[in-house]
């Protein structure tokens, strides 16, 4: 015979606690995550201690990787600031973004970004440092868009070296966090201006590094003390980004919000050195990426070899925020979100390649021309198609090779050519290129041994070319339909840059502040 026992106070307390626990668990499950997007400016893949680099220390990035996922094959489809960041924001490839596929452009109002979409759906949105740019992003009424949220920039702090911003990035994040109402989800864009040039020459050695710490100088630069110092100065600026990232993580821990936050740490493209930033080689588009999100990553601590690109970030953020449609603020996204990788314990089928390319970046070519490229990185292989081989890839020599930032390494390469020695460095960094290029990146990470013309690889070239063109056509890429010159006709945002080549060569005194005066060749080199 059973009997009913009255619930005592302890039993009632336990029952209430269990109900409360279940309710809290359900709330945790349904809560939309905060989103922290931490992006450095011009930081190459591999230059983090999580990747085994001995001369760049990144404990904060390493922590995110250790407690989340570290990506070995993450790429930006376009290795220049404005188009790369436009891809991140919209989830669309740069060849799908009209003017926003160029550098120093007008961002079309119809292409909304994930930050704007999240803000419209109840997220508090803010940023510090560098958001999208350079360029102008206005809405349909001509008002400036908060394309990466409300600016937080009041706090300043003394930087460790000259040329590093005095923006107290972490302090400004703290101000933002204090402004977020309790229980409201937020999205924050933490964007440093480091390691963008310029640098304090010798800062790396001054702050304790040794040029002998560098295990390898890329084969397309001279290996000397000047170049090694330049690399160490770059390392100091990467570490500045990482230092503030660590401070931000500690603030999240103190606020009890770390595990409620989806954190992405990355860079917009490769380092600001010759043949890297602004081109389409592996050093150009291959970027560091670590993601931490305990709520969705099933096997943290894993190193991911699947290929991903920046077009997948916006759809990942929208899905995490439980937003089912990108519109009306955003256009349909083209990238694939990362949720299949978050749930996996190993390789994910179908993630074996990415597309890369570029149109017009910096000024300095006749008729405001760019240097159009499309390419596909698949497995160990990189195939590139150069569409205007009569143009200079880094910009015209007589106007300073303006698609390569000035710095000691660039100066070394240029001076060696002028001296008549070691001209191979100049050819690899600035010389004109053939129509097609093929590299085995596994054996040739510097991409200096072009295998086009080797009959052993003719089938591979044909297959990669066909796959690239097929996917680009599906994207509606104007370049695939004979309309690629549209990118050269889009306006620059500043009158000072319009017809720069024609005005400069006609004798007008013009300056381009991101290069050295000695970068300009006295005569054309054709």
């Amino acid at each position: 015979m059973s009997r009913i026992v009255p619930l005592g106070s302890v039993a009632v307390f336990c029952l209430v606690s269990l109900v409360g626990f279940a309710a809290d668990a359900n709330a945790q499950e349904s809560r939309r995550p905060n989103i922290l997007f931490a992006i450095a400016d011009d930081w190459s893949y591999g230059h983090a201690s999580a990747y085994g680099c001995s001369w760049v220390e990144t404990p904060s990035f390493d922590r995110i990787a250790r407690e989340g996922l570290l990506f070995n094959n993450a790429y930006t489809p376009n290795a220049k600031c404005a188009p790369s960041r436009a891809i991140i924001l919209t989830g669309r490839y740069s060849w799908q973004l009209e003017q926003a596929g160029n550098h120093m452009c007008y961002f079309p109002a119809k292409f909304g970004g994930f930050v704007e979409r999240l803000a419209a759906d109840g997220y508090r949105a803010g940023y510090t440092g560098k958001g999208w740019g350079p360029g102008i992003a206005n809405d349909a009424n001509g008002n400036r868009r908060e394309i990466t949220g409300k600016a937080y920039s009041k706090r300043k702090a003394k930087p460790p070296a000259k040329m590093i911003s005095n923006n107290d990035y972490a302090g400004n994040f703290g101000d933002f966090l204090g402004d977020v109402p309790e229980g409201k989800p937020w999205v924050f864009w933490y964007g440093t201006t480091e390691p963008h040039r310029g640098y304090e020459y010798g800062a790396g050695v001054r702050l304790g590094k040794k040029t002998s710490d560098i295990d390898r100088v890329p084969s397309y630069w001279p290996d000397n003390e000047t170049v090694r110092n330049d690399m160490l100065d770059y390392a100091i600026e990467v570490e500045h980004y990482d230092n503030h990232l660590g401070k931000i993580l500690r603030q999240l821990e103190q606020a009890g919000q770390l595990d409620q936050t989806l954190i992405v740490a990355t860079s917009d493209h490769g380092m600001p050195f010759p043949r890297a930033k602004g081109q389409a080689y592996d050093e150009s588009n291959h970027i560091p990426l670590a993601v931490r999100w305990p709520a969705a990553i099933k096997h943290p601590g894993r190193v991911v070899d699947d290929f991903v690109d920046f077009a997948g970030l916006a759809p990942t953020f929208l899905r995490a925020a439980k937003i089912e449609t990108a519109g009306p603020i955003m256009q349909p996204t083209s990238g694939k979100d990362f949720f299949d990788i978050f749930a996996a314990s190993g390789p994910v089928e179908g993630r074996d390649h990415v597309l890369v390319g570029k149109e017009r970046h910096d000024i300095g070519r006749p008729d405001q021309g760019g240097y159009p490229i499309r390419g596909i990185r698949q497995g160990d292989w990189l195939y590139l198609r150069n569409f205007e081989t009569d143009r200079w890839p880094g910009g015209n020599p007589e106007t300073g090779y303006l698609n390569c930032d000035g710095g000691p390494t660039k100066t070394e390469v240029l001076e060696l050519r002028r001296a008549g020695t070691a001209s191979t460095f100049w050819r690899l960094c600035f010389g004109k290129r053939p129509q097609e290029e093929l590299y085995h990146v596994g054996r040739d990470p510097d991409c200096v041994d072009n295998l086009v013309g080797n009959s052993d690889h003719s089938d591979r070239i044909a297959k990669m070319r066909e796959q690239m063109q097929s996917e680009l056509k599906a994207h509606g890429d104007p370049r695939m339909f004979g309309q690629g010159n549209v990118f050269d006709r889009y306006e620059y945002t500043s009158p000072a840059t319009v017809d720069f080549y024609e005005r400069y060569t006609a004798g007008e005194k013009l300056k381009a502040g991101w290069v050295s005066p000695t970068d300009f060749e006295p005569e054309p080199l054709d």
Side-chain angles (χ1 to χ4, degrees), residues 95 355 374 468-477 480:
W95 42 86
L355 299 178
R374 297 292 185 274
M468 179 192 78
Q469 292 175 342
S470 176
E471 293 187 22
L472 290 171
K473 287 178 180 177
H475 289 168
D477 180 0
M480 295 297 103

Side-chain angles (χ1 to χ4, degrees), residues 386 427 431:
N386 300 303
R427 177 180 59 79

Side-chain angles (χ1 to χ4, degrees), residues 44-60:
S44 281
Y45 167 79
H47 298 160
S49 38
Y51 290 117
C53 184
S54 60
W55 49 280
V56 185
E57 298 179 7
T58 54
S60 307

Side-chain angles (χ1 to χ4, degrees), residues 90-93 96 110-111 325-327 329-335:
T90 64
R92 296 170 66 84
Y93 295 94
Q96 297 179 303
K110 68 181 180 181
F111 295 121
T325 58
I329 290 174
M330 298 174 66
Q331 298 290 320
T333 58
S334 301

Side-chain angles (χ1 to χ4, degrees), residues 23 67 81 87 91 127 145 176 188 199 234 242 247 249 252 317 319 366 391 409 475 491 503 523:
E67 297 175 358
C81 298
I87 295 165
Y127 82 100
R145 293 161 61 181
F176 165 79
F188 192 82
Y199 306 152
Y234 154 86
D242 191 78
K247 293 178 180 178
L249 295 179
L252 288 175
F317 296 145
R319 183 172 173 183
R391 300 180 185 177
T409 299
H475 289 168
E491 292 182 87
R503 293 159 59 196
E523 300 291 341

